[in-house]
């Protein structure tokens, strides 16, 4: 249903993902039919963009035209198959300037996978203004840093908005196409009740929405995502500071899940069956704190709930063995500094790396040092920088999502209540289900016959962009410029179970 979507960093970490995007016919970009915008991301060998450089959006009045671009921040760690062209170079490129000169449009929309006031927003704006002047409306719709924020001081005829994270927010922006340059915006919580209230209707229902909810639920069932793994005794939040909140999932993960997992087993081997870790060594894990993406709610937990919390299943590595406690302590002091930062939509103190087991480090002991794959290079670099230690990390047959699943199965069995019993394993359903009362079977009976008309977009929001496009976006902090210009609008609403946000 989207008129334009933008590339994000998560598409660019694996060659296989890029290949699926560019496959023709039938690939991801091909499926979107020109609406997938990759203004500064190209195949390295050919220079051909993964999707479209830009597109023209046509307004409902039939006359309004908006020139839309889709930019990614200057990503440094993309796979070798692609090249992320620096924004500074693209704004002076021939194709960019020709689009601004030759295309007919009333306004410009820039989908930008970067912070709402990233310095590259201003680079893009300056490049546009050099060609079209100062009176053409320019709207930036940004993402990546997972906040609700709005900036209306980019210049007199432009604004920048960032609409939350993980589809928890719908950002509505509107602007005039004349020289008066009026801009307005509104944030709406991404759930059925908020949308119903915003539209002003008693019930938010369409046959197509019902059919979509049914399709999602049935797909989950086929994939085993509805299989029950256990029942959580409480609601754990991934957002809470791990040191101060008992309901912090990070606290549970570092204090209980990791220490009792097979990762810290005395005989964990790498995929290449290298040496076993001696039982006399103490285990230590440094893990990047961008690993988790949603809350774990109380009650019945399905595979889908665990995957929603921990979608990446970060692979663990044995970084090195016989590492002295003094070395571990020095790395800890470097990498686990608590800094005030905007984390998951709210300002709090959070470190770049988390450490397990928490508590005093025994400087007289020797350690087996572990890391997850995403933060691995930072650990390797610190070992060399601080102590001139060279290591060859060994990939292990265990990941972060797997040890969470194992913990729930072992420690949180469901009681034999009517809601969690009465069927074979995997047949139960979590209490957090899509917003339809009659269940999947009821939906099957109400799905209308698919027609060509039913495939037409029913609802087009003039400017709508979710900050989490193409799967969950990873949180990776970057130092931000121009913070003094940002009008930060933090949401007070708590996360809801993710399936409740499905349109019905």
């Amino acid at each position: 249903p989207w008129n334009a979507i933008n590339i994000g960093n998560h598409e660019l970490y694996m060659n296989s993902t890029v290949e699926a995007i560019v496959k023709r016919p039938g690939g991801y970009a091909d499926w979107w039919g020109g609406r997938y915008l990759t203004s500064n991301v190209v195949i390295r060998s050919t220079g051909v963009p993964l999707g479209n450089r830009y597109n023209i959006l046509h307004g409902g009045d039939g006359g309004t035209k908006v020139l839309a671009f889709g930019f990614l921040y200057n990503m440094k760690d993309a796979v070798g198959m692609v090249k992320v062209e620096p924004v500074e170079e693209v704004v002076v490129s021939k194709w960019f300037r020709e689009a601004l000169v030759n295309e007919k449009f009333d306004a410009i929309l820039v989908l930008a996978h970067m912070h709402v006031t990233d310095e590259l927003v201003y680079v893009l704006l300056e490049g546009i203004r050099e060609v079209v002047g100062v009176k053409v409306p320019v709207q930036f719709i940004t993402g990546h840093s997972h906040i609700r924020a709005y900036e209306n001081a980019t210049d007199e005829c432009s604004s920048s908005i960032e609409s939350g994270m993980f589809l928890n927010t719908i950002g509505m922006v509107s602007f005039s196409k004349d020289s008066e340059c009026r801009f307005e915006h509104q944030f709406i919580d991404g759930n059925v009740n908020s949308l119903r209230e915003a539209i002003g209707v008693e019930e938010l229902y369409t046959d197509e929405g019902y059919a979509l909810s049914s399709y999602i639920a049935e797909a989950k069932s086929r994939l085993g995502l509805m299989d029950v793994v256990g029942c959580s005794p409480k609601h754990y939040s991934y957002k809470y500071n791990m040191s101060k909140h008992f309901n912090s999932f990070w606290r549970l993960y570092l204090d209980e899940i990791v220490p009792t997992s097979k990762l810290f087993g005395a005989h964990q081997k790498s995929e290449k069956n290298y040496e076993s870790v001696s039982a006399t060594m103490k285990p230590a894990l440094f893990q990047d704190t961008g690993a988790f993406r949603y809350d774990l709610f109380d009650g019945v937990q399905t595979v889908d709930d665990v995957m929603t919390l921990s979608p990446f299943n970060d692979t663990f590595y044995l970084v090195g063995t016989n590492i002295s406690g003094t070395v571990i302590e020095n790395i800890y002091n470097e990498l686990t500094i608590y800094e005030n930062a905007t984390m998951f939509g709210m300002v709090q103190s959070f470190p770049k790396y988390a450490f397990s087991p928490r508590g005093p480090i025994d400087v007289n002991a020797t350690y087996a040092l572990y890391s997850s794959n995403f933060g691995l290079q930072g650990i390797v670099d610190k070992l060399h920088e601080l102590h001139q230690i060279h290591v060859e990390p060994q990939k292990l047959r265990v990941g972060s999502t797997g040890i969470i699943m194992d913990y729930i199965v072992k420690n949180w069995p469901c009681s034999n209540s009517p809601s969690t019993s009465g069927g074979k394993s995997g047949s139960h359903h979590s209490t957090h289900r899509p917003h339809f009362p009659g269940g999947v079977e009821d939906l099957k009976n109400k799905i209308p016959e698919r027609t060509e008309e039913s495939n037409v977009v029913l609802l087009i929001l003039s400017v709508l962009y979710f900050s989490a496009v193409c799967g969950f976006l990873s949180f990776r902090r970057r130092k931000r410029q121009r913070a003094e210009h940002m009008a930060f609008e933090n949401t007070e609403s708590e996360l809801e179970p993710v399936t409740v946000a499905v349109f019905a």
Side-chain angles (χ1 to χ4, degrees):
W2 317 125
N3 299 98
I5 67 170
N6 188 33
I7 192 168
N9 52 301
H10 271 264
E11 292 97 309
L12 305 182
Y13 288 122
M14 297 177 64
N15 284 328
S16 58
T17 305
V18 176
E19 291 166 357
I21 290 173
V22 301
K23 177 184 177 182
R24 288 184 174 83
Y28 185 80
D30 188 48
W31 188 90
W32 281 102
R35 291 171 287 168
Y36 181 55
L37 303 181
T38 62
S39 299
N40 66 323
V41 183
V42 301
I43 298 297
R44 186 177 296 274
S45 60
T46 64
V48 175
L50 272 66
N52 272 26
R53 293 278 198 183
Y54 65 89
N55 201 0
I56 300 292
L57 309 183
H58 297 270
D61 61 2
T64 302
K65 295 181 179 180
V66 176
L67 174 61
F69 297 99
F71 279 88
L72 176 65
Y73 66 88
N74 292 343
M75 183 178 177
K76 303 296 185 183
D77 55 348
V79 293
M81 186 176 177
V82 300
K83 177 182 179 182
V84 180
E85 298 175 329
V87 172
E88 296 88 344
E89 296 178 8
V90 174
V91 295
V92 296
S93 66
K94 180 180 178 181
W95 75 262
F96 184 75
R97 291 183 173 253
E98 285 182 348
L100 294 171
V101 171
N102 298 332
E103 297 291 351
K104 305 298 181 183
F105 52 86
D106 301 289
I108 295 173
L109 169 66
V110 183
L111 305 182
H113 195 79
M114 58 189 69
H115 188 273
V116 64
T117 55
D118 194 299
E119 60 184 15
L120 294 177
V121 168
Y122 300 92
V123 171
L124 283 161
L125 182 61
E126 182 179 351
I128 291 169
R129 291 293 183 224
E130 286 181 1
V131 179
V132 304
V134 297
K135 287 300 182 181
V136 175
V138 180
Q139 177 65 59
F140 289 89
I141 297 181
T142 62
H144 189 61
S145 50
H146 301 178
I147 62 174
R148 289 186 184 184
Y150 183 77
E151 164 60 45
N152 61 0
T154 43
D155 68 12
E156 293 182 358
C157 204
S158 66
S159 75
S160 182
I161 188 172
E162 183 169 347
S163 301
M165 56 183 177
F166 314 151
L167 305 182
N168 73 346
T169 305
I170 297 173
M172 296 290 297
V173 291
S174 62
F175 51 90
S176 61
K177 62 179 183 179
D178 54 38
S179 59
E180 294 184 17
C181 295
R182 300 184 305 274
F183 290 82
E184 297 180 356
H185 78 283
Q186 183 69 44
F187 294 123
I188 304 172
D189 290 345
N191 59 63
V192 173
N193 291 335
S194 295
L195 290 170
R196 187 176 64 242
E197 292 173 4
I199 298 172
V201 296
E202 291 287 330
E203 182 180 10
L204 188 60
Y205 168 88
T206 66
D207 288 340
E208 288 80 3
Y210 229 51
L212 177 59
S213 291
S214 177
Y215 177 81
I216 292 171
E218 291 183 76
K220 286 182 176 181
S221 181
R222 287 196 306 270
L223 294 170
L225 295 176
M226 306 293 275
D227 291 359
V228 171
V229 295
C231 290
S232 174
K234 63 194 304 182
H235 178 175
Y236 290 94
S237 175
Y238 77 108
K239 295 185 294 184
Y240 290 155
N241 183 304
M242 59 192 72
S243 296
K244 298 180 180 179
H245 294 274
F246 186 73
N247 286 3
S248 166
F249 182 79
W250 272 109
R251 186 208 59 77
L252 175 73
Y253 181 77
L254 299 173
D255 289 355
E256 299 184 32
I257 296 178
V258 172
T260 61
S261 72
K262 58 186 177 182
L263 172 66
F264 277 11
H267 301 290
Q268 178 61 243
K269 293 185 178 181
S270 73
E271 287 190 349
K272 295 182 180 180
N273 288 319
Y274 288 157
E275 63 177 309
S276 298
V277 176
S278 171
T280 62
M281 297 181 201
K282 292 188 175 184
L285 168 70
F286 287 97
Q287 182 158 345
D288 184 274
T289 51
F292 304 136
R293 287 299 191 250
Y294 217 74
D295 286 5
L296 192 70
F297 292 88
D298 59 305
V300 177
Q301 301 301 315
T302 64
V303 173
D304 186 54
D305 295 320
V306 180
M307 292 297 295
T308 301
L309 162 76
S310 179
F312 307 121
N313 195 25
D314 287 333
T315 301
F316 291 116
Y317 280 74
L318 174 60
V319 180
T321 57
N322 292 307
I323 306 293
S324 75
T326 301
V327 171
I328 298 295
E329 185 178 58
N330 289 342
I331 296 175
Y332 177 89
N333 292 336
E334 287 277 328
L335 296 181
T336 63
I337 299 173
Y338 280 72
E339 299 176 344
N340 286 326
T342 301
M343 286 284 295
F344 315 119
M346 60 187 186
V347 177
Q348 62 173 305
S349 185
F350 224 82
K352 172 64 176 173
Y353 286 82
F355 181 79
S356 181
R358 294 197 303 155
I361 295 171
D362 186 352
V363 296
N364 297 315
T366 58
Y367 284 81
L369 178 59
Y370 298 91
S371 174
S372 58
N373 58 303
F374 205 93
L376 176 63
Q377 192 58 50
I379 304 299
V380 172
D381 291 345
K382 282 298 177 184
L383 283 170
H384 185 267
E385 174 189 335
L386 299 178
H387 296 279
Q388 293 73 53
I389 295 175
H390 173 74
V391 293
E392 295 183 0
Q394 303 172 20
K395 187 177 182 180
L396 303 175
R397 302 189 188 100
V398 60
S400 55
T401 309
I403 66 172
I404 296 170
M405 201 88 69
D406 290 344
Y407 178 87
I408 294 175
V409 170
K410 181 179 179 180
N411 295 280
W412 294 347
C414 294
S415 61
N416 293 322
S417 63
S419 62
T420 60
S421 62
K424 66 179 181 179
S425 177
S427 65
H428 315 307
H429 296 283
S430 168
T431 55
H432 305 313
R433 295 279 67 88
H435 196 74
F436 48 85
V440 174
E441 292 302 321
D442 181 54
L443 281 170
K444 291 179 180 177
N445 298 326
K446 297 186 179 182
I447 298 174
E449 291 295 322
R450 183 177 294 277
T451 64
E452 182 176 351
E453 182 180 0
S454 69
N455 290 324
V456 177
V457 175
L458 299 176
L459 176 64
I460 300 178
L461 302 177
S462 60
V463 185
L464 169 63
Y465 177 71
F466 291 111
S467 63
V469 172
C470 306
F472 293 112
L473 298 179
S474 71
F475 170 80
R476 298 292 180 257
R477 287 173 291 173
R478 304 167 62 223
K479 290 188 180 291
R480 304 298 179 185
Q481 299 290 326
R482 303 177 186 263
E484 66 274 11
H485 296 297
M486 184 176 71
F488 179 74
E489 301 189 26
N490 185 31
T491 175
E492 296 296 329
S493 62
E494 289 293 324
L495 287 177
E496 295 193 21
V498 66
T499 48
V500 175
V502 175
F503 291 103

